[in-house]
Amino acid sequence: MSPTRGARAAFAACLLVGHAAAEWSGILGLPFKSDKQVEQRAMHCHSGYITGLQVRRGRNSKDDTDFYDFKLKCGSRWGPWSGMAYEEQNHKEEKSFECPMKMHMTGLEVKQGRKELGDVDSYDFKLQCSGVWQSYLGLSFSNEKAKAATECPAGMMAYGWRAYRGFVRRGDQDFYEFELNCKEAGMAGAEAVRKAPTLREIGLPQNVFVWSAKDVGTWLKALGLGEYAPAFEMNKLQGDVIFLLLESHLVDMGMHKIGDRLYFMEVLTQLHDATNAWSRAIGQQLTSTRTLPNLHRAGLPLEVVSWSSKEVASFVRALGLGEWQELFMKHRVQGDVMFSLKEDTLAEMGVSRIGDRLYLVDCLQSLYEELTAWKKTKDEKIRAAVPALGGPGGSADSSYQAAAAAAMLQAQQQQARANAQAAGGGFGGRKPTAALQKLIAQGYSMQEIMQLLKARPELLPKFFQ
């Protein structure tokens, strides 16, 4: 029997055994040969689904043999190595990838490479997380020969993994193949002894983001973790930040029992998935009762990078976190460094409540994204109204500084008519052009336009005639 036919026959036997217990995706379809017994290793998440993959690579240069071994992350914890043939003394590298934002593995792509000089066989791996393909792990790789992928059926996620290894002596060729075991959402944890209660059973809203710290405590008690509810409430852990929790936060709050931490992180992942599923079912994005403050109403300049420490403190107070505002002034946190704040720096400053730190970091990220998006939108509108801004001699970014919030734009639109009347008086006796009228209609104030003209006087004929 040829190496290829023998390897495929071994696959068939393995797959028949596997299908008796569960449904596998089937092998990827990479080139595979072996003139020795095919080695196989299977791993499963006993509760939850695969959320990450770790791969280690070894090479015995004397025998021109390449080794790979694998480790799965199930929920929030890593499992053991699969036990594939591996020579620790010839270890070369190790890479891992974790699905972001509580996502789960739903597909796998593998590329196979071969460098004849030295008989080097290389592989690299890419995960699909909740339907979105991620980047390759970045293992050492050269001379791609083949690529193959598999995906779980719609509505299913991977909770099992199986790897095969073959070897052909002629040419010292190392072959690997893979398949996934997929289950419908909610099935993988069906055998768990502790079943998480439904939100309806404990009287909590489906929208977790509106939960108060007291609601979170109620949920903990329903999970059998009520002893930690006071610590969660003391740290102001509300529903809009609990999905940002890490296992290290639990340790900081006194959850020293490893089993409790693992159980909590597993159920938190399930809660995140259920919340997303409900959001999709109702066709609505879920939001928190806490929102970013209106900068205009808070009396804060739209040029955030120019904020003084006092203005940063005012923003913190507007978030409902006034008890920490003195710390921002004490540490001289101004607008030009505010977006560089991380949770560990907030802790160093003295913001002791975990929930407040997580909320602050989340709000800063949201504010940065909002201002960046609005600046881009305004610049694009100005370029559309005045083509000269995008031409030689300068750009809108170098001459026009704008960091506008939605509420401010609405206020400007309400004043558009007054601005138009002010512009009617002309500039040095000149009348406004259609381009200027268009900017005013879009909500730009005369003050902003005058600032632009001061920086770019060559645009004066575009606005006045």
Side-chain angles (χ1 to χ4, degrees):
M1 182 179 292
S2 69
T4 302
R5 187 177 300 175
R8 294 299 175 187
F11 271 140
C14 293
L15 294 177
L16 285 174
V17 173
H19 280 297
E23 294 187 3
W24 291 81
S25 64
I27 57 176
L28 274 63
L30 292 167
F32 190 94
K33 301 177 183 179
S34 187
D35 55 15
K36 58 184 292 187
Q37 184 176 357
V38 175
E39 180 186 4
Q40 64 161 315
R41 290 290 186 274
M43 298 181 288
H44 284 86
C45 294
H46 299 293
S47 176
Y49 304 90
I50 302 173
T51 57
L53 173 67
Q54 189 167 346
V55 182
R56 59 179 178 176
R57 180 184 70 87
R59 176 168 174 79
N60 186 326
S61 299
K62 182 179 179 180
D63 297 336
D64 290 334
T65 307
D66 299 283
F67 301 96
Y68 288 85
D69 198 7
F70 311 94
K71 179 189 291 187
L72 300 181
K73 185 176 185 182
C74 298
S76 61
R77 60 187 182 274
W78 287 99
W81 292 106
S82 68
M84 296 288 282
Y86 193 82
E87 297 179 355
E88 297 281 355
Q89 68 274 21
N90 291 313
H91 176 78
K92 296 299 181 183
E93 63 176 330
E94 193 172 298
K95 299 282 187 178
S96 64
F97 184 88
E98 300 178 43
C99 289
M101 295 296 294
K102 307 291 183 181
M103 299 167 79
H104 300 87
M105 183 177 179
T106 54
L108 172 69
E109 181 176 295
V110 181
K111 58 181 180 179
Q112 180 188 62
R114 168 77 176 176
K115 187 167 65 174
E116 297 298 340
L117 181 61
D119 297 326
V120 179
D121 297 290
S122 55
Y123 290 81
D124 203 359
F125 304 82
K126 177 196 290 187
L127 303 189
Q128 184 190 83
C129 298
S130 297
V132 180
W133 285 106
Q134 308 297 316
S135 57
Y136 277 98
L137 269 65
L139 291 162
S140 297
F141 185 85
S142 61
N143 197 17
E144 181 178 322
K145 294 294 185 181
K147 182 188 295 183
T150 185
E151 298 181 43
C152 291
M156 303 180 76
M157 296 182 289
Y159 87 110
W161 158 291
R162 184 150 54 197
Y164 303 87
R165 181 178 185 270
F167 180 76
V168 176
R169 292 181 179 85
R170 184 176 180 179
D172 295 321
Q173 301 177 70
D174 300 281
F175 293 93
Y176 285 85
E177 253 286 18
F178 309 91
E179 60 178 331
L180 298 178
N181 199 349
C182 305
K183 277 192 175 183
E184 293 181 4
M187 289 182 61
E191 297 82 9
V193 176
R194 291 183 287 183
K195 180 179 180 296
T198 65
L199 300 183
R200 181 174 296 181
E201 290 173 347
I202 54 181
L204 292 177
Q206 290 286 105
N207 182 2
V208 177
F209 296 101
V210 302
W211 285 7
S212 65
K214 186 176 180 180
D215 291 333
V216 173
T218 300
W219 179 64
L220 286 171
K221 293 173 184 176
L223 295 177
L225 301 174
E227 63 187 285
Y228 306 112
F232 274 67
E233 189 166 353
M234 183 179 68
N235 279 279
K236 290 189 176 180
L237 285 164
Q238 301 181 192
D240 54 3
V241 296
I242 60 170
F243 293 131
L244 303 176
L245 282 172
L246 302 174
E247 194 170 342
S248 58
H249 293 132
L250 303 180
V251 175
D252 292 341
M253 289 189 292
M255 194 179 289
H256 299 300
K257 297 174 183 175
I258 296 175
D260 287 350
R261 294 202 303 268
L262 296 178
Y263 175 58
F264 175 85
M265 295 304 295
E266 181 66 38
V267 177
L268 185 65
T269 299
Q270 295 175 14
L271 180 65
H272 182 273
D273 293 340
T275 304
N276 282 342
W278 188 68
S279 176
R280 290 192 298 269
I282 64 175
Q284 181 179 343
Q285 185 176 359
L286 304 180
T287 58
S288 168
T289 54
R290 298 191 287 186
T291 59
L292 285 176
N294 183 301
L295 300 185
H296 180 62
R297 293 174 184 170
L300 294 171
L302 296 179
E303 289 288 346
V304 176
V305 294
S306 68
W307 284 2
S308 64
S309 297
K310 186 176 181 180
E311 287 168 328
V312 171
S314 297
F315 174 73
V316 172
R317 183 173 62 252
L319 290 175
L321 303 174
E323 63 182 296
W324 311 118
Q325 61 180 340
E326 294 297 329
L327 294 177
F328 286 78
M329 297 179 65
K330 175 184 176 182
H331 287 275
R332 299 180 185 175
V333 178
Q334 300 186 33
D336 55 355
V337 298
M338 183 177 69
F339 291 122
S340 298
L341 288 172
K342 305 297 180 185
E343 193 202 343
D344 56 347
T345 53
L346 291 173
E348 184 181 353
M349 287 169 55
V351 182
S352 58
R353 293 193 179 96
I354 295 173
D356 287 349
R357 296 201 301 264
L358 295 176
Y359 182 59
L360 265 168
V361 172
D362 190 48
C363 286
L364 289 174
Q365 178 65 26
S366 298
L367 178 64
Y368 177 81
E369 292 173 354
E370 182 175 307
L371 293 178
T372 301
W374 273 100
K375 183 180 186 302
K376 181 179 179 181
T377 300
K378 293 193 75 173
D379 287 346
E380 288 174 350
K381 288 181 178 179
I382 289 182
R383 289 191 184 98
V386 189
L389 283 176
S395 66
D397 290 338
S398 63
S399 62
Y400 178 72
Q401 298 180 348
M408 186 59 181
L409 179 58
Q410 182 179 2
Q412 290 174 341
Q413 289 173 337
Q414 293 174 351
Q415 297 175 0
R417 181 171 298 179
N419 288 339
Q421 292 175 352
F427 186 85
R430 301 181 183 183
K431 294 183 179 181
T433 64
L436 176 59
Q437 295 288 2
K438 184 176 180 180
L439 288 179
I440 292 174
Q442 291 175 348
Y444 296 94
S445 68
M446 285 303 298
Q447 181 181 3
E448 290 176 316
I449 295 171
M450 293 306 177
Q451 288 176 349
L452 175 60
L453 288 175
K454 184 177 180 180
R456 297 283 302 280
E458 71 273 14
L459 295 177
L460 182 61
K462 297 289 183 180
F463 290 156
F464 295 97
Q465 61 182 7

